[in-house]
């Protein structure tokens, strides 16, 4: 179909009361796995690249892959989104032709220390001005995404200092004019989110409800939302991997988040696990093979299955046609 903006896709999701996965890509197999899942489920898609992904694949290669997806999958609306951008990464993404950027002003330059509120507002405003001038959407982050359970990455400070403050969210949105807001509600990036099976108290659902009540017009974004399914951990480990037992964000909690105003759900770890597990299995079962197309193909196929399942659970399946 077309390149669409994050604003467009999330406006439709808001009308329809569903969520849309933001899936990270670094290579052709990930792009194809996600796009095949979208085609089969008739879903709108958000393809997103981190700074690391751009460094790995090269800006033009990676953008070219995503642009090709637009030409090949003509019935699927696609957002090309910069994930966790610096000021520079966001500006170059806009210049390359991305339709959406996330300016991550929640941390200082070192990528670890929480930035002051005013500094976050300043860099976010700068990117909103730059991007909106060219019709590009902007997602920003307020609070620091970590883990409620163990305060992962939060030093000695109280975990509540890092969750998104609903009052600050109102001020932040008014001052910056962002199109979507990533909130810190207890999720964290990577495979190791929770050390025991999460219950209903692991995510700060009350914050989501409160933030959505205060800024109902702003679609909320949940990062660190891989579910880290047991079967993918088992698959990797059965074939020589060494993933320590861990738990991700339960699908039911994500559905609850969507019910309460979350519209974009970021998933990277689950597709990484899928690709790794499928390739490990293939290597183990076919030690004589050395054609990359065989094992990478298996990786792509399992990515497709995982993404299809997320698209159905998030509710975006069947909504590709909302954009005509
Ligand atoms: O936000 C984190 C995403 O999973 C991207 O990770 O920076 O290793 O590409 P990355
Ligand atoms: P996961 O590590 O849970 O997949 O989160 C990915 C993410 O938030 C990318 O921005
Ligand atoms: Zn993230």
């Amino acid at each position: 179909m077309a390149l669409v903006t994050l604003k467009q896709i999330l406006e439709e999701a808001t009308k329809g009361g569903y969520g849309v996965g933001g899936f990270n890509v670094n290579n052709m197999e990930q792009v194809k796995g996600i796009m095949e899942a979208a085609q089969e489920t008739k879903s709108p898609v958000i393809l997103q690249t981190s700074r690391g992904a751009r460094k790995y694949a090269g800006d033009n290669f990676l953008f070219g892959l995503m642009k090709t997806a637009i030409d090949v999958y003509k019935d699927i609306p696609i957002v090309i989104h910069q994930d966790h951008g610096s000021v520079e990464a966001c500006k170059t993404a806009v210049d390359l032709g991305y339709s959406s950027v996330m300016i991550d002003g929640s941390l200082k330059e070192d990528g670890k220390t929480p930035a002051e509120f005013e500094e976050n507002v300043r860099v976010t405003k700068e990117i909103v001005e730059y991007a909106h001038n060219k019709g590009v959407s902007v997602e920003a982050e307020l609070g620091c995404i970590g883990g409620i359970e163990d305060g992962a990455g939060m030093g000695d400070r109280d975990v509540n200092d890092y969750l998104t403050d609903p009052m600050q969210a109102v001020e932040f949105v008014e001052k910056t004019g962002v199109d979507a807001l990533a909130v810190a509600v207890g999720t964290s990036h990577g495979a190791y989110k929770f050390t025991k099976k999460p219950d209903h108290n692991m995510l700060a659902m009350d914050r989501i409800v409160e933030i959505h009540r205060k800024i109902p017009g702003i679609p909320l974004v949940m990062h660190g939302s891989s579910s880290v399914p047991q079967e993918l951990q088992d698959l990797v480990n059965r074939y020589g991997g060494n993933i320590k037992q861990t738990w991700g964000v339960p699908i039911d909690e994500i559905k609850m988040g969507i019910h309460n105003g979350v519209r974009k759900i970021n998933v990277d770890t689950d597709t990484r696990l899928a690709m790794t597990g499928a390739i490990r299995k293939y290597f183990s079962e076919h030690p004589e093979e050395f054609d990359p197309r065989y094992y990478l193909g298996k990786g792509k196929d399992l990515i497709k299955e995982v993404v299809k399942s997320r698209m159905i659970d998030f509710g975006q399946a069947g909504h590709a046609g909302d954009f005509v």
Side-chain angles (χ1 to χ4, degrees):
M1 181 177 291
L3 179 66
V4 296
T5 64
L6 187 69
K7 188 175 163 68
Q8 281 175 286
I9 243 174
L10 298 186
E11 267 172 13
E12 291 303 326
T14 301
K15 277 189 234 158
Y18 58 90
V20 184
F23 297 103
N24 288 72
V25 295
N26 303 264
N27 58 40
M28 184 189 76
E29 285 72 19
Q30 290 174 312
V31 172
K32 284 191 93 171
I34 294 161
M35 291 313 303
E36 288 177 10
Q39 178 95 315
E40 288 186 21
T41 59
K42 298 185 171 33
S43 300
V45 170
I46 301 167
L47 295 176
Q48 56 188 24
T49 66
S50 67
R51 275 173 275 178
R54 286 172 57 183
K55 194 164 168 215
Y56 168 73
D59 282 1
N60 290 325
F61 258 104
L62 201 51
F63 185 71
L65 280 173
M66 297 185 287
K67 191 110 192 311
T68 301
I70 293 168
D71 298 334
V72 172
Y73 298 92
K74 295 200 186 305
D75 299 333
I76 304 295
I78 302 175
V79 176
I80 298 183
H81 175 79
Q82 169 69 44
D83 189 28
H84 292 284
S86 58
V87 167
E88 204 225 322
C90 288
K91 287 187 176 173
T92 52
V94 170
D95 296 345
L96 273 164
Y98 281 53
S99 61
S100 175
V101 293
M102 175 200 187
I103 170 70
D104 187 346
S106 66
L107 297 174
K108 291 190 174 162
E109 290 279 298
D110 64 7
K112 290 185 192 127
T113 321
E116 297 304 326
F117 178 78
E118 292 306 337
E119 179 59 10
N120 192 354
V121 168
R122 189 186 65 74
V123 293
T124 303
K125 262 178 84 167
E126 182 180 340
I127 292 305
V128 167
E129 218 175 280
Y130 193 85
H132 281 185
N133 254 331
K134 299 195 177 165
V136 172
S137 304
V138 180
E139 171 190 333
E141 178 178 320
L142 185 63
C144 293
I145 292 159
I148 273 187
E149 184 192 27
D150 55 7
M154 296 183 178
D156 293 331
R157 289 175 64 178
D158 188 306
V159 67
N160 285 300
D161 294 346
Y162 289 81
L163 297 180
T164 306
D165 177 327
M167 287 303 289
Q168 261 194 357
V170 177
E171 190 183 342
F172 186 81
V173 163
E174 274 171 6
K175 284 187 164 162
T176 59
V178 289
D179 303 297
L181 185 66
V183 288
V185 289
T187 61
S188 58
H189 290 104
Y192 300 103
K193 301 184 194 302
F194 302 113
T195 55
K196 56 182 191 293
K197 200 170 189 303
D199 58 27
H200 289 303
N201 300 316
M202 291 297 201
L203 292 191
M205 199 57 71
D206 49 340
R207 294 248 172 174
I208 299 180
V209 171
E210 186 57 12
I211 295 165
H212 182 52
R213 200 179 62 77
K214 286 192 153 47
I215 45 170
I218 301 295
L220 304 181
V221 183
M222 233 167 80
H223 282 244
S225 294
S226 277
S227 300
V228 198
Q230 190 63 50
E231 63 267 25
L232 290 183
Q233 296 180 48
D234 292 346
L235 179 68
V236 172
N237 288 341
R238 197 177 313 129
Y239 295 100
N242 186 15
I243 310 270
K244 290 190 291 291
Q245 180 61 54
T246 179
W247 283 269
V249 184
I251 296 289
D252 282 350
E253 292 292 304
I254 296 175
K255 286 183 177 171
M256 188 65 80
I258 293 169
H259 179 74
N260 290 319
V262 170
R263 295 288 162 241
K264 175 171 180 271
I265 304 104
N266 279 14
V267 173
D268 187 3
T269 297
D270 283 351
T271 57
R272 290 180 178 192
L273 286 170
M275 187 159 199
T276 301
I279 291 175
R280 278 190 174 281
K281 180 170 190 281
Y282 188 85
F283 279 158
S284 168
E285 291 177 348
H286 303 274
E288 75 291 355
E289 286 291 356
F290 51 89
D291 186 333
R293 291 172 295 188
Y294 294 167
Y295 56 82
L296 292 178
K298 294 291 179 199
K300 184 265 293 172
D301 288 345
L302 194 54
I303 288 174
K304 174 171 86 173
E305 292 314 314
V306 169
V307 172
K308 265 170 75 175
S309 154
R310 296 292 176 281
M311 287 172 161
I312 292 164
D313 283 333
F314 298 166
Q316 70 200 86
H319 286 284
D322 292 2
F323 298 81
V324 282

